[in-house]
Amino acid sequence: MLDVIFQSSAQQVLAKYKTEITKINDLETTFRSLSDLKLKEKVTELKQRFLNDENDEFLVLEGFALVREASKRVLGLRHFDVQLIGGLVLNEGKIAEMKTGEGKTLVAVLPIFLKALHGKGAHVITVNDYLARRDADYIGQVYTFLGLSVGLIQESMNLTERKRNYNCDIVYLTNTQLGFDYLRDNLALSSDEIVQRSFYYCVIDEVDSILIDEARTPLIISGAGKTYTKKYLQTAKLATVIERDIHYKVDEKNQNVILNNEGISFCEKALGITNIYNPMEPWIFYVLNSIKAKELFKLNKNYIINENKEIIIVDEFTGRTMVGRRWGDGLHQAIEAKENLVIQDENQTVASISYQNLFLLYQTLSGMTGTAKTEEAEFEKIYNLKVVTIPTNNNLQRKDLSDLIYKTQYLKWRSIAQECLEMYNIGRPVLIGTTTIEKSELLAALLEQYKVPYRLLNARPENVESESEIIAQAGCKKAVTIATNMAGRGTDILLGGNPTFLTTNLIKEIFQTEKSIKNKSSFTYLNGSNDDLIESLKPYYLTLLEKPLYDLEQQKDPTTIEFLNLYNSVYKEQKLLVTRDNKEIIKLGGLHVIGTERHESRRIDNQLRGRAGRQGDPGSSRFFLCLEDKLLRIFGGEKILNIMQTIGFQDDAPIRSRLLDNSLESAQKKVEALNFDTRKQLFEYDQAINLQRNKVYLERKTIFEQNNVRNLIIQYAEQSCKDLFNYFNNIPSAQMKNLILLKLQTLLGASFPTTFFDNNNKIQSLKFFQQQVEITYELKEIEMEIIGDGVLREIEKTNILEQIDISWAEHLQRISLLKDSVKWRALGQKNPLTEYKKEAYNYYTRMLAKIRHRVVYLTLRAKILIF
């Protein structure tokens, strides 16, 4: 049924873009006849025409035809018609859903090139630094050939490098680097520290992973705060004593824990306190985090411990480690206490933004992925992005077999190992997707008992280093590959193996091991030659391997020519071997994908399945499940067990039923709905302060652009006068009025009587009061000018920026506490979100007043100490 729907949708897409594709194909002959120089001149012409009329649709078609020709010359890759359709969809600001192996990376070149011609910068967002670097180096050759500059943002880069790269025509970077650079720019104390330009256009690779999966948690820049180490240690010990279902309940669906009355009494007695909820000495926060750390966050699943004895988060969607990221609200400290590690400082939020509001800053947003249709409603509702399913270049031939459900974990893993052995014996490649590091290593140990060779890819650093090579060779004959989650791996699995990777590895062997040099007779190019060639190339081979082949082919020096001859010879032989194995594997049925557990999200399962059957290759997939799996346990495991017992299934016999498959899909939809609610709530709450954030950041930007902010300080002073004047007249206490007068006299360095706050003549009194402030300010200017020109101007600017940052950080702390507490207002029949918006606005107005008052006070009281 789904295949029929997909084919129908694909036919509609083909029909819609048929005219544009025909015109692009017609232009191919014209561009093919142009020399390299003429092709580059055409880019300059297109750029000028875009400036004159950027809505000219024919310019888009010309641009696509030009890029296709450049790609063919530089990379040897010509865009298929369906890839051109994908490019047109991205250029329209939509999401292109393309199956794995359809060449999404090459598709992005088309719209990125066009948008870069506008001179405002175009971004390609990827899920990790490796993919950003790989695409910038490889695909970047096309842009460089056409005369455009290519930038790359990496985690290790300094301020100067980041600024230079952001100013390029096209920038490759990750979503986290983009977000943190945005927040850091809005904490900068001088314009020199700002690295980004305005957000114009971007293509997000693996758009569902970034805008859906990672959008559950906001990006946060933190500063050090107080850490109550003793409380974490005490509650960590307490968590080992109290018992599940006796003292507390675990809500796995919502990833939460709830203390019952017995648990509250037990904790209060154990901690020697009378009220665990006491706001003056809160303990509930620490107790709940310690229980969460015990029940919901598992070693080698949610996190690993590195060689420096630090907790490193493992991304549940990609299986990668997230170095430098920490869980907030004390959870990270609770896990450190659980693992008996050094408890690091808690963090205080200094700047924060959700992924939703970050990417909505772009003038035009687009993305591509293999799995977006299941989240189509969310993309359209939150990001205003439509999803278009792009037809495959060749018909999909993968067979998705029914799930096998076993009674116990032991039976499931034994069956998986037996299936791997069976596939290995016939020579068919197998890819096994696991959900955790622990389970990937369990399977690895099991395969060793079955004497099945395997390659392991999980979040452990020693495995991550060879990630692309492991995935690239997962299609080799007899290959068995175990991997945690396949989202965003960025490397195609080619049946028979990837000749480029094989060639690179063999060349490294030639130069690195004596044995390989002695066996060089296996390489045609080395037959009859002596070792002198190897020795002469040895100092240069690593550098040459890192350079693109297109660049090497343009060079004429003898060393490069010798290396290219060697490379091409090895590549030719590996290509022949791969082609031979490819035919054999196709006859055997292609790549077989095994899933060891259903993920909460259907998209993650589809991403794993999608590794088989690329570009019309045959393939198959099957999931092995058991009643102890999380998804089955939470959603109906007992019902299935009752069915098995009623029907009389043997303990070691699996259930295979389309009805159960549908039930599992229904369970996944429920979890997806819960996750959508979480993201929607985060977005709605963040929207409440998004306008505040934008205004604060705009204020900072305005200050940067001004050399003289004197007028702004005067405005602050006048408004502060009004605030103080109104407050003075509204308080009845004479003692309080005298205290305010004393503070004013201290601030202004002048005394004046209470009569200046005259209720009978408020306008005149306020005017006099403001005059006193202006006189004091002018005296301060004279005082500072004696010390040096422009001193007060620098003090003014620094004071404003610092107070905005300090007050905004304080505001975010209050907002965070408000978000936690306002939920209880639902018990009083009030809408928590509405209440949150009202309170947040009140906090915001108070924050602005506090900024004004602090800036005026600090500026008027400024002193220069001369030693």
Side-chain angles (χ1 to χ4, degrees):
M1 182 67 182
L2 285 173
D3 289 341
V4 173
I5 294 171
F6 177 78
Q7 288 171 4
S8 173
S9 172
Q11 288 168 358
Q12 291 174 7
V13 171
L14 283 171
K16 179 181 178 182
Y17 292 99
K18 183 178 179 181
T19 304
E20 288 95 328
I21 299 304
T22 302
K23 289 178 180 178
I24 294 170
N25 289 334
D26 290 343
L27 287 166
E28 188 169 14
T29 307
T30 304
F31 283 107
R32 190 187 302 149
S33 64
L34 298 177
S35 65
D36 287 358
L37 182 61
K38 290 289 184 183
L39 213 59
K40 292 173 185 177
E41 289 175 355
K42 194 70 178 174
V43 175
T44 308
E45 179 192 323
L46 280 176
K47 193 180 290 187
Q48 189 57 48
R49 287 167 61 192
F50 261 119
L51 291 173
N52 295 334
D53 183 9
E54 68 175 284
N55 296 317
D56 188 339
E57 291 182 7
F58 191 68
L59 284 174
V60 173
L61 307 182
E62 278 193 87
F64 274 39
L66 190 152
V67 172
R68 177 196 254 180
E69 181 59 30
S71 173
K72 187 179 175 183
R73 294 186 192 186
V74 177
L75 304 177
L77 299 173
R78 177 186 175 275
H79 292 81
F80 300 128
D81 285 357
V82 291
Q83 289 177 312
L84 295 177
I85 294 173
L88 290 167
V89 168
L90 293 175
N91 194 59
E92 292 168 356
K94 298 174 183 175
I95 291 174
E97 183 185 70
M98 302 180 71
K99 298 294 181 185
T100 300
E102 290 295 305
K104 292 189 287 290
T105 307
L106 194 64
V107 169
V109 178
L110 299 161
I112 284 291
F113 167 76
L114 285 180
K115 299 297 183 182
L117 295 180
H118 292 78
K120 300 175 184 177
H123 294 170
V124 184
I125 312 293
T126 67
V127 292
N128 61 66
D129 273 356
Y130 162 73
L131 291 178
R133 184 174 65 254
R134 183 202 69 176
D135 293 350
D137 291 342
Y138 183 61
I139 299 296
Q141 298 174 78
V142 178
Y143 304 125
T144 306
F145 172 77
L146 293 172
L148 299 177
S149 56
V150 180
L152 170 66
I153 305 297
Q154 298 276 275
E155 188 175 355
S156 58
M157 286 182 174
N158 60 34
L159 201 70
T160 306
E161 292 171 319
R162 287 173 185 273
K163 193 164 190 172
R164 184 178 67 249
N165 281 283
Y166 272 118
N167 282 322
C168 291
D169 297 315
I170 296 144
V171 188
Y172 283 85
L173 72 165
T174 65
N175 48 303
T176 52
Q177 293 301 317
L178 176 79
F180 286 130
D181 281 337
Y182 172 76
L183 293 176
R184 280 191 289 262
D185 275 2
N186 287 290
L187 290 172
L189 293 175
S190 73
S191 55
D192 295 335
E193 296 175 20
I194 296 177
V195 298
Q196 291 181 336
R197 293 196 279 175
S198 58
F199 290 7
Y200 175 60
Y201 175 77
C202 88
V203 171
I204 306 174
D205 193 8
E206 302 298 343
V207 65
D208 54 336
S209 178
I210 291 172
L211 294 189
I212 301 294
D213 298 334
E214 295 205 29
R216 277 199 267 177
T217 53
L219 283 165
I220 295 171
I221 287 183
S222 303
K226 290 182 180 179
T227 300
Y228 299 94
T229 303
K230 286 184 180 180
K231 287 189 175 182
Y232 285 114
L233 294 174
Q234 284 179 265
T235 53
K237 288 180 181 177
L238 180 62
T240 62
V241 178
I242 55 178
E243 298 178 42
R244 184 172 180 167
D245 296 328
I246 295 176
H247 300 105
Y248 61 89
K249 290 188 177 181
V250 178
D251 181 359
E252 290 190 72
K253 290 181 186 179
N254 296 307
Q255 290 286 287
N256 200 11
V257 293
I258 304 161
L259 273 178
N260 57 27
N261 290 334
E262 190 171 340
I264 291 169
S265 299
F266 185 91
C267 290
E268 286 175 345
K269 187 176 180 181
L271 296 168
I273 57 176
T274 56
N275 182 6
I276 199 171
Y277 291 98
N278 182 359
M280 303 306 294
E281 186 65 23
W283 277 95
I284 186 64
F285 166 82
Y286 299 94
V287 172
L288 292 179
N289 269 337
S290 294
I291 300 172
K292 283 181 185 178
K294 170 189 172 184
E295 296 286 354
L296 299 174
F297 291 84
K298 304 294 185 183
L299 180 65
N300 292 332
K301 178 184 178 182
N302 304 104
Y303 62 91
I304 61 171
I305 299 174
N306 68 5
E307 63 277 7
N308 297 321
K309 300 295 181 183
E310 296 171 330
I311 298 290
I312 306 295
I313 299 172
V314 175
D315 189 325
E316 64 174 303
F317 299 102
T318 65
R320 289 189 173 87
T321 54
M322 303 167 76
V323 179
R325 299 280 289 272
R326 291 175 65 82
W327 284 296
D329 299 325
L331 178 60
H332 212 96
Q333 285 76 13
I335 294 171
E336 287 168 337
K338 180 185 88 168
E339 298 292 349
N340 294 314
L341 301 175
V342 175
I343 298 176
Q344 299 183 24
D345 288 340
E346 289 180 28
N347 294 324
Q348 179 182 351
T349 301
V350 175
S352 171
I353 191 170
S354 66
Y355 273 119
Q356 291 95 329
N357 280 315
L358 174 68
F359 283 101
L360 286 171
L361 292 170
Y362 279 99
Q363 189 172 321
T364 307
L365 181 65
S366 63
M368 51 190 186
T369 182
T371 47
K373 271 292 179 182
T374 56
E375 313 292 347
E376 185 174 18
E378 184 170 350
F379 280 123
E380 193 157 352
K381 184 168 186 177
I382 292 180
Y383 301 100
N384 197 28
L385 285 171
K386 293 185 181 298
V387 178
V388 179
T389 302
I390 309 299
T392 55
N393 188 46
N394 295 301
N395 292 330
L396 185 66
Q397 296 186 45
R398 186 185 71 243
K399 296 177 182 177
D400 295 326
L401 306 172
S402 293
D403 298 347
L404 297 179
I405 304 176
Y406 291 85
K407 192 172 181 180
T408 65
Q409 290 274 3
Y410 170 76
L411 293 171
K412 179 181 83 169
W413 290 108
R414 187 184 69 178
S415 298
I416 291 170
Q418 287 171 348
E419 180 133 341
C420 289
L421 177 62
E422 182 185 333
M423 294 293 169
Y424 174 74
N425 286 335
I426 66 174
R428 196 174 167 193
V430 183
L431 173 68
I432 309 108
T434 62
T435 54
T436 68
I437 299 169
E438 197 172 35
K439 289 176 181 176
S440 69
E441 291 173 346
L442 168 69
L443 179 59
L446 198 56
L447 290 181
E448 284 180 5
Q449 292 181 13
Y450 279 75
K451 294 183 170 50
V452 176
Y454 62 87
R455 297 292 298 276
L456 177 62
L457 174 59
N458 59 29
R460 296 203 187 280
E462 61 269 23
N463 297 320
V464 172
E465 289 175 4
S466 53
E467 173 182 324
S468 57
E469 190 266 328
I470 291 173
I471 293 300
Q473 303 315 331
C476 289
K477 191 176 178 182
K478 286 184 172 287
V480 177
T481 309
I482 306 169
T484 51
N485 292 346
M486 293 300 300
R489 293 293 177 189
T491 306
D492 277 348
I493 297 176
L494 307 178
L495 297 184
N498 187 313
T500 303
F501 277 92
L502 287 169
T503 301
T504 301
N505 289 339
L506 284 171
I507 286 178
K508 285 179 180 177
E509 282 187 32
I510 291 171
F511 289 100
Q512 290 173 357
T513 63
E514 292 297 324
K515 184 178 178 182
S516 294
I517 294 173
K518 289 175 182 175
N519 291 337
K520 61 182 179 294
S521 57
S522 60
F523 304 109
T524 306
Y525 180 71
L526 295 176
N527 281 348
S529 68
N530 54 45
D531 293 342
D532 291 345
L533 172 63
I534 301 297
E535 291 301 322
S536 65
L537 291 175
K538 216 169 192 177
Y540 313 105
Y541 81 97
L542 280 175
T543 304
L544 293 169
L545 270 177
E546 290 174 358
K547 290 184 177 180
L549 278 177
Y550 179 82
D551 289 351
L552 294 178
E553 287 166 356
Q554 309 305 310
Q555 297 178 26
K556 304 298 181 184
D557 62 282
T559 301
T560 304
I561 291 170
E562 288 287 2
F563 176 80
L564 272 175
N565 290 336
L566 171 62
Y567 182 92
N568 289 331
S569 172
V570 176
Y571 180 83
K572 184 179 179 181
E573 294 191 11
Q574 292 308 306
K575 183 73 174 173
L576 289 172
L577 293 172
V578 165
T579 303
R580 183 196 66 192
D581 287 349
N582 177 272
K583 292 176 181 177
E584 287 186 33
I585 293 168
I586 286 175
K587 288 179 183 177
L588 293 169
L591 177 70
H592 182 54
V593 170
I594 294 175
T596 60
E597 192 173 332
R598 284 279 198 145
H599 198 277
E600 289 180 353
S601 169
R602 289 171 293 165
R603 289 181 297 103
I604 307 300
D605 292 343
N606 292 337
Q607 284 163 358
L608 178 60
R609 282 195 181 106
R611 295 296 163 176
R614 65 172 296 282
Q615 287 292 336
D617 288 338
S620 59
S621 71
R622 189 192 293 280
F623 278 80
F624 288 73
L625 314 174
C626 83
L627 299 181
E628 297 170 19
D629 290 346
K630 182 180 177 182
L631 196 69
L632 281 169
R633 191 178 71 250
I634 297 174
F635 294 94
E638 290 182 6
K639 292 180 183 177
I640 298 171
L641 179 60
N642 291 335
I643 292 170
M644 292 177 78
Q645 290 172 343
T646 303
I647 296 174
F649 272 96
Q650 296 178 5
D651 283 351
D652 59 348
I655 298 178
R656 185 185 309 175
S657 164
R658 283 290 176 190
L659 179 62
L660 286 174
D661 289 353
N662 293 336
S663 297
L664 277 170
E665 188 166 331
S666 175
Q668 287 176 309
K669 286 179 180 178
K670 289 178 185 177
V671 178
E672 286 168 2
L674 287 171
N675 291 337
F676 173 49
D677 285 342
T678 301
R679 292 187 294 270
K680 183 168 172 280
Q681 189 178 67
L682 170 70
F683 179 62
E684 287 173 342
Y685 276 83
D686 194 58
Q687 276 292 85
I689 65 164
N690 192 48
L691 286 173
Q692 298 175 13
R693 181 192 298 111
N694 291 341
K695 286 180 179 178
V696 168
Y697 288 171
L698 181 61
E699 181 84 348
R700 288 184 107 264
K701 188 178 179 182
T702 304
I703 291 164
F704 274 131
E705 292 170 355
Q706 294 180 14
N707 294 323
N708 188 333
V709 292
R710 182 185 188 279
N711 292 337
L712 185 60
I713 300 288
I714 295 298
Q715 288 175 25
Y716 281 5
E718 289 176 351
Q719 185 59 49
S720 296
C721 287
K722 286 182 183 178
D723 296 339
L724 203 54
F725 186 84
N726 292 332
Y727 179 65
F728 186 92
N729 284 320
N730 289 330
I731 56 174
S733 169
Q735 185 179 358
M736 182 61 75
K737 288 188 175 184
N738 289 331
L739 181 61
I740 292 173
L741 273 174
L742 182 62
K743 289 186 176 182
L744 281 172
Q745 290 166 7
T746 305
L747 174 64
L748 302 175
S751 60
F752 42 89
T754 315
T755 52
F756 290 127
F757 290 92
D758 187 356
N759 281 326
N760 298 321
N761 195 350
K762 288 184 178 180
I763 296 174
Q764 190 64 32
S765 297
L766 177 59
K767 188 175 180 182
F768 177 83
F769 187 24
Q770 289 175 336
Q771 286 175 349
Q772 290 298 310
V773 173
E774 285 183 25
I775 290 168
T776 305
Y777 196 78
E778 287 172 1
L779 290 171
K780 177 59 66 175
E781 283 187 296
I782 294 168
E783 176 191 335
M784 289 297 175
E785 288 302 315
I786 293 171
I787 297 171
D789 292 339
V791 172
L792 188 59
R793 301 290 84 88
E794 286 296 321
I795 291 173
E796 291 166 344
K797 201 167 186 177
T798 302
N799 281 342
I800 294 177
L801 293 175
E802 285 184 347
Q803 290 312 310
I804 287 175
D805 293 343
I806 292 168
S807 300
W808 181 246
E810 291 172 350
H811 180 64
L812 291 177
Q813 285 295 104
R814 292 191 189 94
I815 289 292
S816 178
L817 294 171
L818 173 66
K819 194 185 297 183
D820 291 335
S821 63
V822 79
K823 295 169 187 174
W824 295 103
R825 300 191 190 183
L827 298 174
Q829 306 302 310
K830 293 182 178 180
N831 185 323
L833 182 59
T834 304
E835 292 293 302
Y836 174 81
K837 288 179 179 178
K838 288 179 184 176
E839 293 285 343
Y841 178 75
N842 291 335
Y843 285 174
Y844 179 67
T845 55
R846 283 181 226 155
M847 181 198 74
L848 293 180
K850 190 177 288 185
I851 290 172
R852 292 193 298 269
H853 299 169
R854 284 175 172 177
V855 168
V856 173
Y857 176 83
L858 290 170
T859 305
L860 289 177
R861 305 306 297 163
K863 298 287 183 185
I864 302 294
L865 298 178
I866 302 174
F867 296 96

